């Protein structure tokens, strides 16, 4: 990150980085600095870099019906530091598959032609923008363009934030937090830079919001189809947190009359509260894994009472 300061840091196999590297990334993504302690001296280095990371799902393929935290071995606290997160899925489509295969084979044909010194071999498709020109364009924009946020763009971002929060309040979800506003500003500025503009205009804010909406609809929908940013920020949507708290409250209430709580009774009370038996059983298993409850014997659960320090 320090060596890449002022540029772009690309990280592959992001889900397999060590705990020490994760701790350093937390600081770098939060404050854009990295602190190193040696011989009692703490040095702080600049790490102002954009991070592009790629990670693989635990089971090889991305499942749109599972929450991101359940699929990637990446803590939500680190995942939430990224402005944009996109799932890349392998959707089988004949035309797409044909184009991908054609592109890969053409690369091998071109490489073979160069090795054999075959004259006149040309690729069928040329990139719309020459790669050298694109590099120079990006370098020039990063170095010479520092756009400022216009009042019109600022008001548009503010309206989007307030309206989305109002919708979430009515639906019982948290669709966006102040951290996402900072991300929207960065994306709006990046859009203006791509046009070599010194002013972030309304169209730039619209582009940033469109990207944000696409990401939220791809990764932050709860079971009711509502946008809930907690799906990314905490690893589970607000709806799930509320239901798990409801089950804990049911257990606490049953504990008042009997310390040995029957699992079946908890599930029945959960169904009466609007939580189906399958979901209730799943949440009980999660509460057991998290150490909130335990099973002294088959069919019986008890609360774990944590003593205050």
């Amino acid at each position: 990150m320090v060596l890449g300061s002022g540029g772009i840091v690309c990280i592959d196999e992001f889900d397999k980085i060590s705990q020490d590297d994760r701790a350093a990334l937390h600081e770098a993504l939060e404050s854009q600095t990295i602190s190193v302690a040696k011989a009692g001296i703490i040095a702080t280095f600049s790490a102002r870099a954009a991070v592009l990371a790629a990670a693989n799902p635990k089971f090889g393929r991305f499942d749109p019906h599972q929450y991101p935290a359940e699929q990637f071995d990446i803590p939500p606290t680190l995942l939430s530091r990224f402005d944009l997160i996109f799932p890349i899925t392998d959707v089988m489509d004949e035309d797409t598959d044909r184009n991908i295969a054609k592109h890969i084979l053409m690369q091998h044909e071109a490489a073979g032609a160069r090795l054999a010194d075959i004259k006149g071999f040309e690729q069928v498709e040329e990139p719309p923008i020459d790669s050298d020109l694109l590099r120079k364009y990006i370098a020039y924009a990063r170095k010479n363009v520092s756009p400022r946020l216009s009042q019109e763009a600022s008001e548009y971002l503010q309206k989007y934030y307030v309206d989305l929060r109002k919708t979430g309040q009515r639906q019982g979800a948290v669709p966006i937090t102040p951290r996402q506003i900072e991300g929207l500003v960065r994306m709006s500025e990046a859009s203006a830079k791509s046009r070599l503009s010194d002013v972030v205009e309304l169209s730039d804010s619209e582009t940033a919001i469109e990207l944000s909406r696409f990401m939220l609809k791809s990764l932050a929908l709860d079971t009711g189809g509502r946008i809930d940013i907690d799906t990314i920020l905490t690893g589970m949507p607000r709806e799930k947190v509320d239901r798990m708290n409801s089950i804990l409250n049911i257990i606490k209430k049953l504990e008042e009359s009997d310390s040995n709580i029957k699992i079946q009774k908890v599930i029945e009370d959960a169904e009466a509260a609007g939580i189906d038996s399958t979901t209730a059983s799943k949440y009980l298993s999660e509460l057991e894994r998290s150490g909130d409850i335990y099973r002294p014997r088959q069919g019986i659960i008890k609360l774990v009472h944590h003593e205050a320090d």
Side-chain angles (χ1 to χ4, degrees):
M1 291 289 290
V2 176
L3 294 176
S5 183
I8 300 176
V9 174
C10 299
I11 306 174
D12 195 12
E13 303 291 347
F14 189 65
D15 53 309
K16 298 177 179 63
I17 60 177
S18 66
Q19 291 293 337
D20 292 338
D21 290 336
R22 286 182 180 179
L25 275 171
H26 268 106
E27 180 186 0
L29 294 174
E30 180 69 26
S31 60
Q32 296 188 320
T33 60
I34 288 182
S35 301
V36 179
K38 290 288 184 181
I41 300 174
I42 300 177
T44 302
F45 300 94
S46 176
R48 300 177 63 85
V51 178
L52 176 64
N56 296 313
K58 293 179 182 178
F59 304 107
R61 290 186 180 274
F62 180 80
D63 186 350
H65 303 294
Q66 289 187 337
Y67 302 123
E70 297 174 346
Q71 301 193 63
F72 299 97
D73 191 19
I74 303 171
T77 52
L78 187 57
L79 202 61
S80 64
R81 295 298 192 274
F82 289 88
D83 294 334
L84 291 173
I85 304 170
F86 295 120
I88 300 176
T89 56
D90 184 11
V91 180
M92 288 181 286
D93 177 77
E94 184 177 351
D95 292 335
T96 302
D97 294 341
R98 183 181 292 108
N99 290 332
I100 291 174
K102 179 182 177 182
H103 175 75
I104 294 173
L105 293 171
M106 280 176 53
Q107 298 301 314
H108 284 277
E109 288 178 19
R114 287 194 296 270
L115 289 174
D117 197 24
I118 299 176
K119 304 297 183 182
F121 181 87
E122 296 182 358
Q123 292 187 358
V124 177
E125 296 183 9
E126 292 290 338
I129 302 176
D130 182 72
S131 57
D132 289 335
L133 176 61
L134 183 60
R135 289 192 188 96
K136 292 176 182 178
Y137 187 92
I138 294 173
Y140 178 85
R142 290 177 66 89
K143 183 178 180 180
N144 298 286
V145 183
S146 299
R148 58 176 178 81
L149 198 64
S150 67
Q151 183 176 356
E152 187 180 23
S154 178
E155 290 175 352
Y156 188 74
L157 291 176
Q158 183 184 34
K159 184 178 184 301
Y160 170 73
Y161 174 77
V162 173
D163 290 347
L164 202 56
R165 294 279 293 187
K166 283 182 179 179
T167 302
Q169 187 177 18
R170 290 195 301 268
Q171 296 178 344
V174 183
I176 194 171
T177 67
R179 175 174 286 173
Q180 277 67 56
I181 292 184
E182 296 177 354
L184 289 171
V185 171
R186 284 191 289 267
M187 288 187 285
S188 299
E189 291 175 346
S191 176
K193 276 188 177 183
S194 69
R195 299 185 295 102
L196 302 182
S197 173
D198 292 327
V199 179
V200 177
E201 298 178 355
L202 178 61
S203 59
D204 299 312
S205 295
E206 290 174 341
T207 299
I209 288 174
E210 190 64 28
L211 286 170
S212 177
R213 280 177 176 160
F214 181 84
M215 181 197 74
L216 292 174
K217 289 180 179 179
S218 299
L219 293 174
L221 291 181
D222 62 14
T223 55
R226 298 165 297 189
I227 295 175
D228 190 347
I229 197 65
D230 281 351
T231 302
I232 298 174
L233 298 183
T234 66
M236 63 176 70
R238 177 69 177 271
E239 176 191 37
K240 182 177 179 179
V241 174
D242 291 342
R243 287 187 171 188
M244 292 184 75
N245 286 333
S246 296
I247 290 176
L248 278 174
N249 290 331
I250 290 171
I251 296 172
K252 290 176 182 177
K253 186 176 180 180
L254 292 173
E255 190 183 42
E256 294 175 359
S257 57
D258 189 355
S259 59
N260 294 319
I261 306 163
K262 294 182 179 179
I263 294 177
Q264 187 59 37
K265 177 60 177 173
V266 175
I267 293 175
E268 290 174 359
D269 288 0
E271 286 183 314
I275 305 172
D276 63 86
S277 59
T278 303
T279 302
S281 299
K282 178 183 176 182
Y283 289 167
L284 284 172
S285 298
E286 291 188 24
L287 289 170
E288 187 176 2
R289 287 196 298 270
S290 64
D292 292 293
I293 62 174
Y294 69 99
R295 304 192 189 201
R297 60 180 183 272
Q298 187 67 25
I300 301 296
I301 58 173
K302 285 189 175 184
L303 275 173
V304 175
H305 296 280
H306 301 282
E307 296 182 1
D309 294 334

